[in-house]
Amino acid sequence: MAGKKVLIVYAHQEPRSLNGSLKDVAVAELSQQGCSVIVSDLYAMNFEPRATGKDITGTLSNPGFFNYGVEAHKAYKKQSLSSDIIEEQKKLQEADLVIFQFPLYWFSVPAVLKGWMDRVLCQGFAFDFPGSYDDGFLKGKLAILSLTTGGTASMFSKTGVNGDFRYFLWPLQHGTLHFCGFKVLAPQISFGPEMASEEERKRMVASWAQRLKTLWEEEPIQCSPPWYFGQ
Amino acid sequence: MAGKKVLIVYAHQEPRSLNGSLKDVAVAELSQQGCSVIVSDLYAMNFEPRATGKDITGTLSNPGFFNYGVEAHKAYKKQSLSSDIIEEQKKLQEADLVIFQFPLYWFSVPAVLKGWMDRVLCQGFAFDFPGSYDDGFLKGKLAILSLTTGGTASMFSKTGVNGDFRYFLWPLQHGTLHFCGFKVLAPQISFGPEMASEEERKRMVASWAQRLKTLWEEEPIQCSPPWYFGQ
């Protein structure tokens, strides 16, 4: 898939962590395929997670009553969003595939990555009304969550204490990625690396590298309640 | 319920927003009941959402390989977490009831509130192994999510585009609050205030104030997959 553009949005503090290795192996494998790969290393960038008035440069449309969503939408159209948001939107606009690489924090993404979603995926850029779900503005792009968990696979099963891993994916894959028009590939979940042996952790990295070889041939998942909840 | 202690964790930028009004009316009603009420106004505090090495004062247990969860756990035990985390943990430790007041961002909490969860609810303080779910260290406390949405109630129904509102509650109510031992009261969801009339918004505030009068008598929800997914 030479020529394809990939953005990896990476949220781990430690380069030598399993998340770091999974990111590194994705950069290596996709580069070898001839893709151009860009990494947004959120902690290294000290990426701002808070959605505030600082995200709008110039004057607010209603300074007496701050509505973040409205102001960000207008600022996007006037090209007056803060430069860090514009930079990420440019990377995203160019990308054919976006990989989110992160450790699961409280059944979701770490706050620094949540902030990337809150601030970068603004109305007008990623969606509008109309212009959501299958008509979201990022349609034509692929997205995949590659994450590590604290718990084991059996803990994240239908009968496990944490419930099926698909349950916690709903807000991220349907409510965020599908909402913006992405086609979502099945998640790559590396379960419980901290409880695993060094050998098992190596297999997790190798398994991700192997999957990336044929990732472009995969069919997206169905972002619908039956896929998540089995109804 | 005179004497009860309430912590409101509040995440909105605009004091005059509906979220601001919902927070204000909760402070007023609960104070009138004789409760002592504390508000953590996360944007006003410029609360740090990023989980980094700065959260640990003093030396790291393994400076060559930074593992946030492990370091935060050890720092909690050594009382060497950063002062902003300790401050929130003290408020939480005292509280009989915690109200989370926020607008739904991407089917979840805004990043600033996600960061509060990521950083404040650390291992050793909020949970341990063993010491999760019904044995979580915050057992005996009540929690409730009071949130506003962009979409209408029908959009957040089983057959609506966004799916049942209970789906997005899973990571927050089960994966976070129940995990830490909280008993979770049914959420207070104010649907689509931006599409509502001024009259309807007033009714949303009045309805919350009314509910708070008898909140202490409510039975918690069942934090189990059947409650969320109807299985």
Side-chain angles (χ1 to χ4, degrees):
Chain A
M1 299 306 290
K4 290 283 191 189
K5 291 179 177 171
V6 181
L7 171 61
I8 302 180
V9 186
Y10 166 69
H12 202 287
Q13 306 91 343
E14 172 56 56
R16 298 193 297 139
S17 63
L18 186 73
N19 273 273
S21 300
L22 292 165
K23 179 260 291 170
D24 289 343
V25 82
V27 172
E29 169 57 32
L30 293 164
S31 300
Q32 202 182 4
Q33 291 176 21
C35 304
S36 71
V37 185
I38 290 178
V39 177
S40 285
D41 183 342
L42 300 183
Y43 286 107
M45 294 157 73
N46 198 28
F47 190 81
E48 172 61 59
R50 289 161 289 211
T52 72
K54 291 183 189 159
D55 290 355
I56 289 91
T57 64
T59 51
L60 295 173
S61 91
N62 186 354
F65 188 101
F66 184 70
N67 181 317
Y68 183 82
V70 168
E71 295 290 349
H73 185 195
K74 294 192 175 175
Y76 172 75
K77 289 193 286 192
K78 291 195 300 181
Q79 298 184 293
S80 61
L81 284 167
S82 62
S83 59
D84 61 338
I85 297 178
I86 292 175
E87 196 62 33
E88 294 306 302
Q89 289 179 338
K90 278 186 192 157
K91 296 177 193 172
L92 193 43
Q93 196 62 68
E94 291 288 309
D96 299 295
L97 165 68
V98 184
I99 299 173
F100 295 90
Q101 180 65 57
F102 61 96
L104 196 70
Y105 277 20
W106 292 120
F107 281 40
S108 184
V109 294
V112 71
L113 177 49
K114 183 58 168 58
W116 186 95
M117 293 171 170
D118 290 352
R119 297 175 65 234
V120 175
L121 303 175
C122 75
Q123 186 172 355
F125 170 71
F127 69 93
D128 213 326
F129 303 107
S132 64
Y133 289 115
D134 291 349
D135 298 318
F137 293 175
L138 304 182
K139 69 185 164 192
K141 301 181 189 301
L142 294 170
I144 181 168
L145 304 182
S146 173
L147 61 115
T148 59
T149 66
T152 61
S154 66
M155 289 161 80
F156 283 104
S157 64
K158 268 206 194 311
T159 53
V161 279
N162 296 334
D164 195 301
F165 65 86
R166 295 186 181 199
Y167 300 165
F168 72 69
L169 293 171
W170 172 259
L172 298 168
Q173 293 189 331
H174 179 72
T176 310
L177 300 174
H178 183 200
F179 190 94
C180 296
F182 281 106
K183 293 283 186 193
V184 180
L185 300 177
Q188 180 76 15
I189 308 185
S190 304
F191 286 103
E194 293 189 30
M195 289 183 276
S197 66
E198 188 56 35
E199 193 55 44
E200 286 167 320
R201 279 194 294 275
K202 280 184 185 162
R203 273 202 295 274
M204 292 175 192
V205 177
S207 149
W208 177 223
Q210 186 61 34
R211 180 177 170 194
L212 286 165
K213 291 186 191 299
T214 54
L215 196 80
W216 300 99
E217 300 161 25
E218 290 187 18
E219 284 297 314
I221 64 162
Q222 285 297 325
C223 271
S224 64
W227 190 88
Y228 290 94
F229 314 119
Q231 293 162 327
Chain B
M1 299 306 288
K4 291 281 191 189
K5 292 181 176 172
V6 181
L7 170 63
I8 303 180
V9 185
Y10 166 68
H12 201 287
Q13 307 90 346
E14 172 56 55
R16 299 194 296 139
S17 63
L18 186 73
N19 274 274
S21 300
L22 293 164
K23 179 260 291 171
D24 289 344
V25 82
V27 172
E29 169 58 31
L30 293 164
S31 300
Q32 203 181 3
Q33 291 176 21
C35 304
S36 71
V37 185
I38 291 178
V39 177
S40 284
D41 182 341
L42 300 184
Y43 287 107
M45 295 157 73
N46 197 29
F47 190 80
E48 172 60 60
R50 289 161 288 211
T52 71
K54 290 181 190 160
D55 291 355
I56 289 90
T57 65
T59 51
L60 295 173
S61 92
N62 186 354
F65 188 102
F66 184 70
N67 181 317
Y68 184 81
V70 168
E71 295 290 349
H73 185 194
K74 292 191 176 177
Y76 172 74
K77 289 192 288 191
K78 290 195 300 181
Q79 298 183 292
S80 60
L81 284 168
S82 62
S83 58
D84 60 339
I85 296 178
I86 291 175
E87 196 62 33
E88 294 306 301
Q89 289 178 340
K90 279 185 193 157
K91 296 177 194 171
L92 193 42
Q93 196 62 66
E94 292 288 308
D96 298 296
L97 165 68
V98 184
I99 298 174
F100 296 90
Q101 181 64 56
F102 61 96
L104 196 69
Y105 277 20
W106 293 121
F107 281 39
S108 185
V109 293
V112 72
L113 177 48
K114 183 58 169 56
W116 187 95
M117 292 170 170
D118 291 352
R119 297 175 64 235
V120 176
L121 303 175
C122 75
Q123 186 172 353
F125 170 71
F127 68 93
D128 212 325
F129 304 106
S132 63
Y133 289 116
D134 292 347
D135 298 318
F137 292 175
L138 304 182
K139 70 184 165 193
K141 300 180 189 301
L142 294 170
I144 181 169
L145 304 182
S146 173
L147 60 116
T148 60
T149 66
T152 60
S154 66
M155 290 161 81
F156 283 104
S157 65
K158 268 206 194 310
T159 53
V161 282
N162 296 336
D164 195 301
F165 67 83
R166 295 186 181 198
Y167 300 166
F168 73 68
L169 293 172
W170 173 258
L172 297 168
Q173 293 188 332
H174 178 72
T176 309
L177 300 175
H178 183 199
F179 191 94
C180 296
F182 281 105
K183 292 284 186 192
V184 180
L185 299 177
Q188 179 76 14
I189 308 186
S190 304
F191 286 104
E194 294 191 29
M195 291 183 275
S197 66
E198 188 55 34
E199 194 54 45
E200 286 167 320
R201 278 194 293 276
K202 280 184 186 163
R203 272 202 295 273
M204 291 175 192
V205 177
S207 150
W208 177 223
Q210 188 60 35
R211 181 177 170 194
L212 286 164
K213 291 185 191 301
T214 54
L215 197 78
W216 301 100
E217 300 162 25
E218 291 188 17
E219 284 297 312
I221 64 163
Q222 284 297 325
C223 272
S224 65
W227 190 88
Y228 291 94
F229 313 119
Q231 293 161 325

